[in-house]
Amino acid sequence: ILASDSFYSMSALFGTFGNVFFMFVLLMACIFTVSSCIPTTTPIISLDIYKPFIRPAALQVSVVMLPKVAPVVIVALCTLAGHSYPYVVELTWIGGRMMASGLAPVLTLLVLWPRVRRAPVSCLLAMIGGSASCIAAEVYQSVTAASTAAHGATVVLWSLDPILAGLPVCFAILLAGTWLETRRQTPELLKSYAVNIKN
């Protein structure tokens, strides 16, 4: 079957009521993903990327206007990605795995370990490293399975979850980076850092 028809074929296995329930859960997962990611992405674009790096002297009006325009651009890019990648729900799984292997560990330690809050560079690198390792593991498994199938051999469907490849990388970068980044922080430096965050 075509990849784009796989969920319709799978939902048909559950009968009429199972089909409706399956589609409802699928739609709900997509809607909740979009409704949670877009409101968190737009402030990051305007306050963490545009204002500090692209245009530091930007007026408050443009900084406020950007979050209103950014969702349209994000939705357009997501629509293009959906059309170019027929297995749309797999994109949702990939995004969830990236969050679990790169974002969730950092956010958890930010709450549980105050020292991590003083290491913003390490937090960013840990998120990137964990997510990149997860994607690399996902791509490697896909390429290996496709290559195995192309040679007529048996494809093993049970494989290591890519999250388990990203988590150790994320934790290693975060722990080592936090130690390196905070070991020379004096009380005066921490006080000035806190003032810069408030400003």
Side-chain angles (χ1 to χ4, degrees):
I1 60 174
L2 296 175
S4 57
D5 297 333
S6 58
F7 283 94
Y8 293 102
S9 301
M10 183 176 177
S11 62
L13 299 174
F14 302 109
T16 304
F17 295 104
N19 187 6
V20 173
F21 178 76
F22 186 83
M23 289 299 173
F24 178 74
V25 170
L26 184 61
L27 181 62
M28 187 173 57
C30 294
I31 290 175
F32 281 136
T33 302
V34 172
S35 64
S36 61
C37 288
I38 289 181
T40 55
T41 304
T42 50
I44 292 173
I45 293 173
S46 59
L47 299 177
D48 297 333
I49 298 175
Y50 178 73
K51 176 72 173 171
F53 299 109
I54 298 176
R55 198 173 172 192
L59 298 175
Q60 188 66 24
V61 176
S62 60
V63 176
V64 172
M65 183 62 66
L66 189 59
K68 298 179 180 179
V69 177
V72 179
V73 178
I74 294 171
V75 170
L77 293 175
C78 292
T79 303
L80 290 175
H83 282 293
S84 61
Y85 198 88
Y87 209 35
V88 177
V89 178
E90 184 64 21
L91 286 175
T92 305
W93 282 115
I94 292 173
R97 289 185 180 123
M98 289 173 59
M99 291 181 184
S101 59
L103 186 63
V106 175
L107 293 179
T108 303
L109 285 183
L110 279 170
V111 173
L112 300 178
W113 191 20
R115 188 171 180 175
V116 177
R117 301 170 200 163
R118 307 198 307 264
V121 176
S122 301
C123 290
L124 178 62
L125 292 177
M127 290 182 196
I128 295 172
S131 300
S133 301
C134 179
I135 294 173
E138 183 101 23
V139 170
Y140 173 76
Q141 290 181 0
S142 299
V143 170
T144 303
S147 176
T148 304
H151 289 87
T154 302
V155 178
V156 180
L157 296 178
W158 299 100
S159 58
L160 185 69
D161 195 307
I163 296 175
L164 299 179
L167 280 176
V169 174
C170 180
F171 277 117
I173 295 174
L174 187 60
L175 296 177
T178 299
W179 180 77
L180 290 172
E181 195 172 350
T182 59
R183 63 178 178 161
R184 298 182 184 274
Q185 289 181 352
T186 61
E188 292 77 14
L189 180 63
L190 293 177
K191 187 181 293 184
S192 65
Y193 179 68
V195 171
N196 289 333
I197 289 179
K198 290 180 182 179
N199 293 336

